[in-house]
Amino acid sequence: MTGRLRGRRLPLVVLVAALAALIASVVWVSGAGSPSWGPGPRAMTGTVSRTGAVHDMAGADRAAGRFAQRWGLHVGEVMQFSNGYYAELLARDGSRATEVLIDPGTGAVQLEFGPAMMWNTAYGMMPARSRTGTAAIGSAQAVRIADRWLSGHRPGLHAAEPERFPGYYTLHTLRDGHVVGMLSVDETTGTVWYHTWHGRFLRMQEHPGT
């Protein structure tokens, strides 16, 4: 594959895109609340696993699986983008735990930038949040918030069904019914964070048995 999906450039590309996403208008707040932050019970801060170059979806699945085993998790959905691979990790009961990125050039697996780091209340960098007087956002409301954001920032795209992680939802973005990317919605504030770092969507699969 040409340039192996530009795998060796993934860390820089992802970091620049994530910083741009944080600073620019892709982060949008529809609600209110002043969070307080602290360490979480299973934070993956600074954890990176390297297993060698990844050449296909099966390789990305295996790399993510080895990373997941450290926390008693397993792999769910795996996606391939032009900038690398993405996987969701599931708890033993099948609930979604967190999201990771897999660098195709090195096989490095790490916590995904953005919501998985900043909003995940179990596995993120700064997860322990408390807000008083703020009701949690339900899945249907998350879709409405996502669609409203997309209409103003990514015209022509619509949100798919939400997938709930601890503290937030992640939703595929669709054009004419086909996946093109993803965004996340904070379940307390309604903040939207578009995943700009992935690049062009290529394919996806569910881990066997999930």
Side-chain angles (χ1 to χ4, degrees):
M1 185 174 292
T2 304
R4 293 183 181 178
L5 296 174
R6 300 195 297 277
R8 295 176 183 175
R9 296 173 51 199
L10 176 62
L12 179 59
V13 170
V14 171
L15 178 59
V16 171
L19 288 173
L22 178 60
I23 296 170
S25 62
V26 294
V27 177
W28 174 79
V29 180
S30 69
S34 299
S36 59
W37 302 93
R42 296 176 294 277
M44 295 180 177
T45 307
T47 303
V48 178
S49 171
R50 290 182 175 85
T51 58
V54 171
H55 303 291
D56 52 30
M57 295 284 278
D61 189 297
R62 288 192 297 271
R66 286 189 287 268
F67 180 90
Q69 286 175 358
R70 298 183 183 185
W71 286 271
L73 305 176
H74 62 278
V75 179
E77 179 181 87
V78 178
M79 303 177 75
Q80 183 181 14
F81 294 88
S82 57
N83 287 336
Y85 296 93
Y86 157 97
E88 60 181 25
L89 304 185
L90 311 180
R92 291 193 178 111
D93 63 2
S95 62
R96 293 174 177 86
T98 192
E99 305 167 280
V100 297
L101 299 174
I102 304 99
D103 184 336
T106 66
V109 183
Q110 63 187 73
L111 198 62
E112 186 182 19
F113 293 100
M117 282 190 176
M118 306 302 293
W119 295 346
N120 193 300
T121 56
Y123 298 93
M125 291 174 61
M126 298 180 290
R129 300 178 296 171
S130 62
R131 293 182 177 90
T132 58
T134 304
I137 290 169
S139 58
Q141 187 178 358
V143 173
R144 292 193 295 271
I145 290 170
D147 278 336
R148 188 163 68 247
W149 188 92
L150 289 168
S151 68
H153 296 82
R154 298 288 192 280
L157 298 187
H158 299 280
E161 289 299 308
E163 298 178 339
R164 188 176 184 275
F165 293 87
Y168 68 100
Y169 299 92
T170 289
L171 305 87
H172 294 152
T173 55
L174 310 175
R175 186 186 301 278
D176 298 325
H178 300 287
V179 175
V180 297
M182 60 179 65
L183 58 72
S184 296
V185 177
D186 186 291
E187 71 172 13
T188 302
T189 66
T191 302
V192 173
W193 201 327
Y194 198 86
H195 297 208
T196 58
W197 44 89
H198 291 303
R200 182 170 55 90
F201 171 75
L202 299 176
R203 60 184 61 85
M204 63 187 292
Q205 70 177 28
E206 292 289 337
H207 180 82
T210 59

